[in-house]
């Protein structure tokens, strides 16, 4: 049964330099949950604002208690709303409450003592002036939840920073899971002052008194600019990414375009509330909020539990291999753990090439401001190479990233194991081979566990943890903690071919290629799932992975599940001809690939889509019956964090509802 966590609003009066300032403090008295605004909390805020007599004060300020200013609307409450009317009514209630702050005839301030997200930032935007603590996080993440900012945030932020910057803040940044740091917010004009966390309230009061001494009340509307070309470019980006499947960012862009030529006071708030209501009860938003809960709430819980595991800290890491994946692994271990990382391969030339790649990648990260020059220098100094596996004797973690062949993986582990201590852990980055089979040649198979990263390693958060029958509890606990320290999300999966992500994707590739090999029009088949708005078409994804790698995985899965995972004659030809895939750079079937296919026949995309989804649903049912994971939620989490499935798909188990 849902119970709202009530946010109370305490009103105090402070006097600075003869100015009387009313301070409204948001506080829910629950340290486990940030301040949020459900219907009763909005009522408390409205009551406190109405009780203020502007004649008694020179200014009004709103702030928060604890580390958060306001995390926005109460998502748990919104999950209970099932009709457009109820959802629109909630949006209207928020608009009316926040408008009370905007209507106060004396200067108003928002002292954002901590993070202000969604409705929390919208609340602050209704004030004349905003200060923010330097440690805070700001943002309007609603489109990632399949929604739009519904409490007047769109017209206010568009008027404040212009439509192009507003579109980045409201649309493109949330879709890339980016928030706004205080410094950038100050540069944009979203906030007026970035202040140190220590003595934040006193510093904010000093800022307010300076405003009261020297300035008259500032208008909330800074400018109105038209930016049709820029907004059209963003719309094209959405089309390329979602192909119309996610309605919220399109609706937000429409409203930003409208706000660019309409003053906030004349904006149609009722229309915004109606759009908000329609989105909230729609399938995409429900799927997005489900995905958000998985990725934000449950992931944090897992990482907290893993980080609290009582295990010895990691002092040194060894990487077996020096190819692209091994180089990515060496870099992330050095960057996240800040411990020595030792790489090995068959020749010094291969190791030298890996070091060169790491050098270039660190330069890119500095250029992107992901690392400072000093940090990049420290990270680079931690990575070294050797061709003598005896040098691995001091490593307490060793991971292999060599060719996906059982004998190769067994060989490299057999060569390094005698040099390691008994409490070192061995990790295999295999994508489809049996961890049990890899461990068979080890003296102590309990030290080995599957630790499957996804490419690109720096971006995708998932690590599939794959214990064998012999993997010890201690090894599993260490691996879980290690994943957490790397900033990744560990999901324990059963040691079966393909595990979760590759098993599902290979079933998809198998079905797609089966239709193409039988003569179905390749373009129609490849784009059949476009209405779901997946990040890539299957043939694009196959090209990204690489035909040779995927062919190996497909053959492994075909051997394990021959009745469901087919062996593709065309993929065999693509690999034999050493082609980069089926597609040209323009996304059409290449003449070389077409030569290995039968003459195409027209097919109905709806029929192909239904068959593809039916196959995926079957695979999920079988995986659950085999207990490959604990739950459907784990499968969804794997597909979101490992295959980059967008929030609006809810991972994969929601996909049937999106057709």
């Amino acid at each position: 049964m849902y119970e709202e966590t009530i946010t109370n609003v305490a009103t105090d009066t402070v006097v600075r330099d003869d100015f009387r300032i009313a301070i409204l403090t948001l506080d829910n008295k629950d340290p486990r949950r940030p301040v949020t605004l459900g219907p009763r909390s909005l009522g408390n805020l409205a009551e406190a604002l109405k009780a203020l007599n502007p004649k008694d004060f020179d200014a009004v300020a709103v702030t928060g208690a604890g580390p958060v200013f306001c995390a926005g609307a109460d998502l748990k409450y919104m999950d209970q709303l099932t009709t457009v009317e109820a959802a629109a009514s909630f949006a209207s209630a928020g608009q009316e409450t926040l408008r009370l702050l905007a209507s106060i005839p004396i200067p108003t301030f928002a002292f954002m003592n901590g993070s202000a997200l969604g409705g929390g930032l919208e609340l602050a935007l209704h004030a004349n002036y905003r200060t923010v603590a330097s440690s805070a996080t700001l943002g309007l993440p609603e489109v990632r939840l399949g929604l739009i900012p519904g409490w007047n945030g769109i017209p206010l932020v568009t008027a404040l920073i212009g439509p192009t910057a507003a579109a980045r803040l409201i649309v493109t940044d949330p879709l890339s899971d980016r928030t706004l740091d205080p410094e950038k917010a100050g540069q944009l004009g979203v906030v007026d002052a970035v202040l140190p966390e220590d003595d934040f309230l006193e510093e904010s009061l000093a800022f307010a008194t300076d405003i009261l001494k020297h300035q008259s009340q500032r208008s909330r509307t800074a400018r109105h600019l038209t930016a049709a070309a820029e907004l059209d470019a963003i719309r094209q980006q959405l089309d390329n990414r979602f192909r119309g499947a996610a309605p919220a960012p399109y609706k937000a862009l429409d409203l930003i375009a409208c706000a660019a030529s309409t003053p906030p006071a004349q904006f149609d708030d009722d229309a915004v509330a109606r759009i908000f209501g329609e989105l909230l009860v729609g399938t995409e938003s429900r799927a997005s909020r489900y995905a958000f809960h998985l990725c934000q709430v449950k992931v944090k819980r897992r990482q907290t539990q893993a980080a609290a595991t009582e295990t010895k800290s990691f002092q040194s890491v060894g990487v077996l291999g020096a190819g692209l994946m091994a180089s990515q692994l060496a870099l992330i271990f050095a960057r996240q753990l800040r411990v020595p990382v030792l790489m090995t391969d068959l020749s010094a030339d291969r190791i030298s090439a890996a070091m060169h790649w790491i050098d270039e990648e660190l330069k890119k990260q500095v250029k992107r401001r992901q690392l400072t020059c000093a940090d990049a220098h420290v990270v680079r100094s931690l990575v070294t190479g050797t061709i003598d596996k005896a040098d691995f004797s001091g490593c307490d973690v060793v991971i292999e990233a060599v060719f996906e062949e059982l004998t190769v993986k067994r060989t490299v582990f057999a060569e390094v194991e005698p040099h390691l201590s008994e409490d070192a852990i061995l990790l295999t980055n295999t994508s489809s081979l049996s961890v049990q089979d890899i461990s068979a040649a080890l003296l102590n198979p309990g030290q080995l566990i599957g630790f499957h990263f996804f490419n690109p390693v720096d971006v995708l958060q998932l690590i599939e943890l794959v214990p064998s029958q012999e993997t010890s509890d201690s090894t599993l606990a260490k691996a879980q903690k290690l994943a957490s320290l790397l900033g990744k999300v560990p999901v324990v999966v059963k040691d079966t071919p393909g595990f979760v992500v590759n098993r599902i994707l290979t079933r998809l590739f198998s079905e797609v290629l089966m239709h193409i090999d039988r003569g179905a029009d390749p373009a129609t088949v490849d784009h059949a799932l476009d209405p779901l708005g997946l990040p890539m078409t299957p043939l694009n994804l196959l090209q990204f992975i690489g035909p040779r790698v995927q062919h190996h995985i497909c053959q492994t899965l075909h051997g394990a599940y021959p009745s469901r995972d087919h062996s593709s004659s065309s993929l065999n030809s693509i690999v034999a001809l050493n082609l980069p895939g089926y597609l040209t750079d323009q996304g059409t079937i290449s003449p070389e690939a077409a030569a290995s296919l039968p003459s195409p026949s027209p097919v109905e995309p709806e029929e192909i889509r239904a068959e593809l989804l039916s196959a995926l649903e079957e695979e999920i049912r079988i995986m659950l019956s085999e207990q490959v994971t604990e739950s459907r939620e784990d499968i969804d989490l794997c597909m979101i964090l490992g295959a980059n499935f967008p929030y609006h798909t809810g991972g994969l188990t929601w996909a049937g509802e999106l057709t």
Side-chain angles (χ1 to χ4, degrees), residues 500-510 541 639 643 645:
V500 172
V501 175
N502 278 326
R503 180 164 169 178
I504 289 172
L505 290 181
T506 299
R507 181 67 189 274
L508 174 60
F509 289 136
S510 172
L541 180 57
M639 298 311 292
F645 274 38

Side-chain angles (χ1 to χ4, degrees), residues 40 49 51 96 156 161 249 317 321 330 408 421 440 571 588 649:
R40 291 178 61 185
L49 290 168
E96 292 171 7
L156 289 174
I161 64 176
V317 176
V408 176
S421 66
L571 184 57
T588 59
T649 66

Side-chain angles (χ1 to χ4, degrees), residues 317 328-341 358 378-383 486:
V317 176
Q328 291 184 75
L329 297 182
L331 182 54
I332 194 171
F333 277 105
R335 177 176 171 175
Q336 294 299 116
L337 301 183
R338 298 298 170 98
V339 300
V341 177
I358 291 172
V378 170
V379 171
R380 179 61 185 86
S381 70
L382 292 169
V383 185
L486 292 171

Side-chain angles (χ1 to χ4, degrees), residues 150-308:
W151 290 350
N152 299 320
I154 290 178
L156 289 174
V157 81
T158 302
L160 193 63
I161 64 176
T164 302
R168 287 197 297 270
L169 177 61
I170 295 170
V171 179
T172 57
D173 282 355
L175 291 176
S176 300
D177 200 20
R178 290 195 297 264
T179 52
L180 187 63
D181 66 74
E183 181 181 354
K184 182 64 174 177
Q187 294 170 356
L188 284 174
V190 175
V191 300
D192 300 286
V194 180
L195 303 174
E197 186 176 2
D198 294 338
D199 295 323
F200 173 74
L201 181 58
E202 286 302 319
E203 293 284 347
S204 293
L205 287 169
F207 170 84
T209 55
D210 187 62
I211 292 292
L212 294 173
K213 286 177 183 177
H214 300 106
Q215 297 187 36
S216 59
Q217 184 173 339
R218 187 182 64 182
S219 168
R220 296 178 176 86
T221 302
R223 52 185 170 176
H224 300 290
L225 303 173
T226 58
E230 290 88 343
L231 296 184
D232 285 345
I234 294 174
R235 190 179 302 276
Q236 184 60 54
Q237 294 173 17
L238 294 178
D239 288 339
N240 294 340
R241 180 171 177 179
F242 297 117
R243 293 174 284 278
Y250 292 94
K251 296 289 187 183
L253 272 186
D254 290 341
L255 291 169
I256 291 168
C258 180
S261 57
T262 306
Q266 299 175 20
F267 206 70
D268 191 344
D269 295 336
D270 291 339
V272 172
R274 182 74 185 181
I275 293 170
F276 180 92
E278 291 170 348
L279 291 172
L280 181 68
V281 301
T283 300
E284 291 82 4
S285 179
R286 289 189 292 116
S288 297
R289 284 178 277 130
Y290 162 78
F292 173 83
H293 181 74
L294 280 182
C295 295
Q296 302 296 323
V297 179
K298 296 202 170 185
V299 162
K300 287 182 180 178
R301 188 179 302 151
R302 289 177 188 224
Q303 290 180 325
T304 300
Q305 291 170 345

Side-chain angles (χ1 to χ4, degrees), residues 629-648:
T629 63
E630 290 185 356
S631 66
R632 297 175 74 92
E633 288 185 343
D634 277 349
I635 291 177
D636 289 327
L637 193 61
C638 286
M639 298 311 292
I640 293 169
L641 300 181
N644 208 24
F645 274 38
Y647 271 24
H648 74 264

